[in-house]
Amino acid sequence: MSVVWATEAALSFGVLAHNLVVLFERKLGWLEAVTVGSLRYWLFVTAGVISHPQGQTTIKLAVPLKERDWWQRLWEKLLSPIPNCNAVENRPPLT
């Protein structure tokens, strides 16, 4: 019986992950579908440091110069109080 529950839990987790990716795509206004793997590669593998200079929390990301504009638009969109006011294009191709 526990094998069935584990399978059902794994399926539920997969559906939850997919739904979160779709919500993230919609929040950013992306028209092309992305995968959990590509989001992990694009966003969550980016090195960074969290610091607290003068009591203000700061995140410093190690982003190449050619991708900094894209990251800036991404943060602006995520922090925007007005949903869907502007779209952020998919990450620029690495060349």
Side-chain angles (χ1 to χ4, degrees):
M1 194 55 103
S2 63
V3 173
V4 173
W5 290 340
T7 304
E8 186 174 336
L11 177 63
S12 296
F13 183 72
V15 169
L16 175 68
H18 172 75
N19 289 340
L20 288 174
V21 168
V22 170
L23 284 173
F24 192 68
E25 288 173 353
R26 288 182 183 170
K27 172 73 176 168
L28 295 177
W30 288 351
L31 299 177
E32 297 178 24
V34 295
T35 64
V36 173
S38 61
L39 273 181
R40 179 184 59 84
Y41 177 73
W42 289 350
L43 303 174
F44 306 122
V45 177
T46 303
V49 175
I50 298 175
S51 61
H52 303 281
Q54 299 177 353
Q56 182 178 4
T57 303
T58 305
I59 301 174
K60 295 181 182 181
L61 298 175
V63 177
L65 285 174
K66 64 181 178 180
E67 294 182 17
R68 289 186 184 174
D69 289 337
W70 181 82
W71 273 93
Q72 183 66 35
R73 288 189 302 275
L74 179 75
W75 280 110
E76 289 171 359
K77 177 65 179 181
L78 291 175
L79 298 175
S80 173
I82 303 170
N84 299 326
C85 63
N86 56 347
V88 177
E89 71 275 6
N90 285 347
R91 188 170 190 220
L94 298 174
T95 56

